[in-house]
């Protein structure tokens, strides 16, 4: 009781400090109450087991796994009602003000069956740095913990956290989060930041602010999991006059926050542009359809920030056996109003067709002609989305010089005469400085099923136009079958097209003295 000294180094209730391999060491069955600074601390140690310990009312990170910890196990511990260290007493280089009940800097350890409840910050916080420190506080050369695999992470629970249930950052080698339970955390159930190839499986998300969010994290899978918004029972229990309504005091519950932009294109072995965003397999969304103050609850929220593509969606996303217990799917109308210009979610096998018509792969897209024009049959509309059965899309970007093309449109025509028009999405369109950049590229995006296509350009008068240059770049190969092939897409050059000023020389031939301009991509 009341152990630990706030603001002093290495004054914790239990600590292993650079003791090396102590195989067989077990800290088990302890009750720690009101600790002034942390509870169980491991640094520079291997093969320790922390099991069946209970803590209540501790300050700072309660269970702390620091630098240089290997092959240790944190199992079946309960941490309740932990809160922060006073900022003026926080140790240099540490984060006990923004603490978590369970904290880790070292990935290669095992976490099983732990429970964090009523944390004043987050339940679990894994924050891996690019370096590891020795006992003297010096960096150890040749070790990057971000490149080390996460050990077992299974059957852990975070409930009623004032911030996130689990905040998992910079875990870059196949992190697997299995059997997690996230209940009534104010913000994220699990917030994943810069994880690559992460798998979230067999997990339950219930009544969190937003159940799962992945930021700057690619090639992820969510499988065999349930996302529950707000049950009618909880909504009634929390209603006035005894409480402030849940959706009045906090934002309405969100299931998954869907990123719109791929973070990295450089990790695929067979194709540098074949990275994917996220795949959902055997996932159920329930209790997100409400009226009144909770009407904005939604299974999948499309993020409108963190996009460097002027709203273009390239976070390749797929569904397999994804079910929704209600009519809601996404907040597509809200996202479109906020500047997201397009969306493609592949439904493998048509397993998530709300109308049950699909007999093969299908897609959810924005309900606009530029996304639905080439569908083999009429698409069904649903809250800003269109579900197009028996269709698979791959997206091509056509880049042109940003100068003198602001009002251009691209017309894509299929060999059968079907056509659609698409505007451009230039990130610096509203940036006066960015519009002067000589190397600026203006992209036009088209998502196409199998077929033969020709693209051409029109100016603001509707007449055929030809930019100074135009070239195509294809995005990720989708998981479905029947998408457009690169060799079936051509960019038409207008007959007799000439470039009056291919080299921008300030109109020197007419006596002008403006600046010459270099085209990086021309």
């Amino acid at each position: 009781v009341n152990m630990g000294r706030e603001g002093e180094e290495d004054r914790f209730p239990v600590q292993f400090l650079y003791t090396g391999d102590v195989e067989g060491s077990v800290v088990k069955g302890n009750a720690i109450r009101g600790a002034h600074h942390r509870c169980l601390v491991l640094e520079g140690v291997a093969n320790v087991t922390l099991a069946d310990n209970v803590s209540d009312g501790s300050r700072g990170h309660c269970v702390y796994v620091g630098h240089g910890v290997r092959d240790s196990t944190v199992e079946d511990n309960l941490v309740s009602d932990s809160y922060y260290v006073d900022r003026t007493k926080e140790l240099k280089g540490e984060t006990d003000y923004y603490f978590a009940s369970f904290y880790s800097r070292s990935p290669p350890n095992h976490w099983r069956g732990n429970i964090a409840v009523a944390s004043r910050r987050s339940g679990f916080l894994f924050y891996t740095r690019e370096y590891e420190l020795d006992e003297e506080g010096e960096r150890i050369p040749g070790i990057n913990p971000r490149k080390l695999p996460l050990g077992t992470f299974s059957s852990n629970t975070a409930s009623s956290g004032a911030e996130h249930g689990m905040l998992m950052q910079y875990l870059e080698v196949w992190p697997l989060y299995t059997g997690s339970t996230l209940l009534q955390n104010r913000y994220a159930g699990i917030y994943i930041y810069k994880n690559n190839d992460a798998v979230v499986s067999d997990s339950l998300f219930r009544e969190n602010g937003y159940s799962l969010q992945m930021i700057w994290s690619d090639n992820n899978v969510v499988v065999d999991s349930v996302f529950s918004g707000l049950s009618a029972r909880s909504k009634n229990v929390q209603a006035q006059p005894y409480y402030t309504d849940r959706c009045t005091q906090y934002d309405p519950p969100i299931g998954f926050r869907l990123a719109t932009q791929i973070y990295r294109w450089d990790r695929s072995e067979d194709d540098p542009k074949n990275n994917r965003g996220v795949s959902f397999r055997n996932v159920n969304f329930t209790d997100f359809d409400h009226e009144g103050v909770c009407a904005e609850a939604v299974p999948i929220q499309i993020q409108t920030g963190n996009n460097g593509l002027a709203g273009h969606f390239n976070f390749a996303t797929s569904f397999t056996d994804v079910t929704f217990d209600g009519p809601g799917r996404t907040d597509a109308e809200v996202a479109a109003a906020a500047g997201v210009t397009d969306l493609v979610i592949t439904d493998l096998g048509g397993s998530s067709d709300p109308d049950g018509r699909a007999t093969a792969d299908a897609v959810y897209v924005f309900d606009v002609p530029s996304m639905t024009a080439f569908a083999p049959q009429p698409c069904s509309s649903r809250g800003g989305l269109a579900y197009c059965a028996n269709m698979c899309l791959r997206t091509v970007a056509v880049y042109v010089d940003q100068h003198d093309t602001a009002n251009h449109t691209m017309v894509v025509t299929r060999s059968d005469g079907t056509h659609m028009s698409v505007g451009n999405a230039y990130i610096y369109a509203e940036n006066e400085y960015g519009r002067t950049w000589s190397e600026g590229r203006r992209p036009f995006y088209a998502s196409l099923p199998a077929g033969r296509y020709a693209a051409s350009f029109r100016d603001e008068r509707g007449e055929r136009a030809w930019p100074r240059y135009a070239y195509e770049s294809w995005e990720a190969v989708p998981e479905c079958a029947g998408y457009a092939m690169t060799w079936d897409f051509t960019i038409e050059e207008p007959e007799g097209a000439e470039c009056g000023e291919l080299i921008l020389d300030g109109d020197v031939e007419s006596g002008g003295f403006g600046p010459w301009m270099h085209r990086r991509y021309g």
Side-chain angles (χ1 to χ4, degrees), residues 107 112 208 216 223-224 295 319 377 455:
R112 294 187 289 261
N208 301 284
W216 287 15
V223 59
D224 298 333
F319 288 169
Q377 60 195 75

Side-chain angles (χ1 to χ4, degrees), residues 18 43-44 67-68 92 129-143 145:
Y18 290 94
E43 293 181 275
H67 290 287
K92 183 179 179 180
R129 298 183 182 273
E130 293 177 306
Y131 58 85
E132 198 162 71
L133 301 180
D134 62 19
E135 189 171 3
E136 303 302 323
E138 300 296 327
R139 296 192 181 190
I140 302 173
I143 298 179

Side-chain angles (χ1 to χ4, degrees), residues 206-207 228-239 246 253 286-291 294:
R206 185 179 295 278
E207 300 185 3
S228 177
L230 182 65
S231 69
R233 180 178 180 181
S234 292
K235 185 178 179 181
N236 291 333
V237 167
Q238 298 173 17
R246 160 68 188 274
T286 186
D287 289 329
F288 287 99
D289 293 282
H290 297 277
E291 297 178 352
C294 286

Side-chain angles (χ1 to χ4, degrees), residues 210-212 227-229 253-258 280 283-290 295-302 319 322-331:
Y210 45 99
S211 291
L212 178 61
F227 291 75
S228 177
I254 303 298
F256 181 80
R257 278 188 166 175
L258 178 63
F280 293 88
V283 172
N284 173 243
F285 292 90
T286 186
D287 289 329
F288 287 99
D289 293 282
H290 297 277
E296 295 180 1
V298 65
I300 298 177
Q301 181 186 67
I302 303 166
F319 288 169
V322 175
T323 57
F324 299 85
D325 294 346
R329 296 292 187 272
T330 73
D331 62 341

